[in-house]
Amino acid sequence: TLTVTSANHWVTAWLGLELNMISILPVIAKQKHPRSTEAATKYFLTQATASALMLFAGTINAWQTGSWNIMQLNNKLSCILTIAALTMKMGAAPAHFWLPEVMQGATLATALLITTWQKIAPITLLYMISNHTEPIITLSIGLLSILVGGWGGFNQTQLRKMMAYSSIAHLGWTMTVISIMPNIALTNIIIYMIMSTPFFMLLMTTASKTLQTMTTTWTHTPTTTIILMLLLLSMAGLPPLTGFTPKLLILDNLVTHKLTLTAATMALLSLLSLTFYLRTTYLLTSTAPPTTTQSTTVWRLKPHQNQITALLAPIALFNITILPALLT
């Protein structure tokens, strides 16, 4: 990932992406289970295809312009191909089909890696070529991702698949604004990572994989349940939580650039995501399991995971205080 983020040359970036992909394959296939192997295979095929497409785009650009520099992507065809390749790498719609499947086959820790760390390299490359991207393409990908992310997560009972669709929706918000205001797109994806990391860590500590098992967390760890509820509402983008900040900034910028209809469509489509976040919140906090524990509250939190969660959860919940500074 660091090779990609510090690269200027297309071949170096491609090399970084390939090394990154090869390194995470054993992590995905760590469990001795056919589903993990299937997930690793799917991940390998999609990422290898996307990497090859990106290298092809870079080669065309070098052939036409004589430059291998990432920032000088002046050829229109290679720009479109690069956007397609990076969309596939990240798992944004319409090349999103691999993401829920791979996440369902991986452990919660690996799913966290795929939704956060693995997004850094393609987002960096998109940020670097944002001056050359066609706004109509990025807006279309973004709107489609928000729609797919909302609709796909609707009837999910598996938390990893639900989080995969949530990731697709958040990538949609990033894609819509990447060619207009790349800094805000970067802010959005960073805030999403800050929100999803404590969420996944709390799921790991409570060993929750489905909506059904989430309903029992209240009897064991009430504090965890409250934090999970707030993190879900933050991801949904409800004020005054952090998730609201990037959404407001994105909509504000789209309206400024005379894209009011797009902004209105995005706001309406985000209601789809809000539905499944609220459903999960309701199951988590408002439904008690059939049998409550007779003993006093059992705390099953591991100290090292607790520290990271304690650090990131407040940032993920109450970042609204810096909004005036971002707006000026």
Side-chain angles (χ1 to χ4, degrees):
T1 304
L2 296 176
T3 307
V4 179
T5 50
S6 57
N8 280 318
H9 196 286
W10 276 115
V11 177
T12 320
W14 171 79
L15 190 71
L17 288 170
E18 287 294 298
L19 285 169
N20 177 311
M21 179 204 37
I22 292 162
S23 308
I24 202 167
L25 286 175
V27 179
I28 298 170
K30 187 175 68 171
Q31 288 176 294
K32 302 291 184 287
H33 194 278
R35 186 166 278 179
S36 302
T37 316
E38 185 190 333
T41 311
K42 283 178 178 172
Y43 188 82
F44 169 73
L45 290 171
T46 48
Q47 298 296 313
T49 310
S51 293
L53 191 60
M54 196 195 79
L55 188 63
F56 178 55
T59 312
I60 290 176
N61 188 60
W63 181 35
Q64 295 290 326
T65 63
S67 169
W68 279 100
N69 195 320
I70 294 173
M71 309 287 267
Q72 294 171 1
L73 194 69
N74 299 321
N75 185 278
K76 207 167 183 179
L77 174 64
S78 52
C79 188
I80 293 166
L81 285 173
T82 308
I83 293 169
L86 294 175
T87 302
M88 197 172 183
K89 272 241 168 263
M90 290 185 298
H96 66 281
F97 294 99
W98 63 272
L99 187 61
E101 299 295 322
V102 169
M103 277 181 68
Q104 186 57 31
T107 59
L108 282 167
T110 314
L112 168 62
L113 263 183
I114 293 166
T115 47
T116 53
W117 186 261
Q118 293 301 98
K119 301 274 188 281
I120 295 172
I123 289 282
T124 310
L125 288 172
L126 262 177
Y127 182 81
M128 287 168 84
I129 64 162
S130 58
N131 287 340
H132 303 287
T133 52
E134 287 283 331
I136 187 74
I137 296 172
T138 52
L139 282 169
S140 306
I141 291 170
L143 281 169
L144 191 61
S145 295
I146 297 168
L147 178 65
V148 166
W151 239 329
F154 233 65
N155 60 348
Q156 295 299 336
T157 54
Q158 296 288 334
L159 287 173
R160 282 166 294 181
K161 275 195 175 178
M162 197 184 83
M163 287 309 293
Y165 284 109
S166 158
S167 171
I168 294 164
H170 278 90
L171 281 173
W173 283 85
T174 306
M175 286 298 284
T176 44
V177 82
I178 194 101
S179 55
I180 301 162
M181 283 289 282
N183 288 347
I184 288 176
L186 218 55
T187 309
N188 181 54
I189 204 75
I190 289 165
I191 288 176
Y192 167 69
M193 287 175 188
I194 289 169
M195 289 187 296
S196 60
T197 305
F199 184 79
F200 269 106
M201 290 200 145
L202 289 172
L203 289 185
M204 279 185 259
T205 51
T206 55
S208 304
K209 290 189 178 72
T210 61
L211 289 177
Q212 192 178 1
T213 49
M214 261 185 118
T215 56
T216 59
T217 53
W218 181 257
T219 52
H220 296 305
T221 51
T223 316
T224 303
T225 314
I226 292 163
I227 296 170
L228 276 171
M229 176 197 78
L230 289 169
L231 285 169
L232 278 164
L233 294 177
S234 184
M235 277 191 237
L238 295 181
L241 304 169
T242 306
F244 175 66
T245 316
K247 283 187 167 63
L248 180 63
L249 289 171
I250 289 167
L251 293 177
D252 177 53
N253 267 283
L254 287 172
V255 173
T256 310
H257 286 83
K258 305 279 190 295
L259 293 164
T260 316
L261 188 63
T262 311
T265 312
M266 285 167 68
L268 287 170
L269 289 177
S270 67
L271 293 174
L272 291 168
S273 301
L274 178 65
T275 310
F276 69 79
Y277 286 126
L278 283 179
R279 184 189 62 184
T280 313
T281 309
Y282 172 74
L283 283 171
L284 189 63
T285 53
S286 305
T287 54
T291 53
T292 52
T293 48
Q294 298 302 311
S295 60
T296 52
T297 305
V298 186
W299 291 95
R300 299 178 176 179
L301 299 179
K302 298 179 183 69
H304 67 282
Q305 286 181 336
N306 229 359
Q307 289 161 2
I308 302 167
T309 311
L311 179 72
L312 290 176
I315 306 171
L317 297 178
F318 304 107
N319 202 18
I320 203 74
T321 46
I322 63 158
L323 182 60
L326 289 170
L327 285 173
T328 50

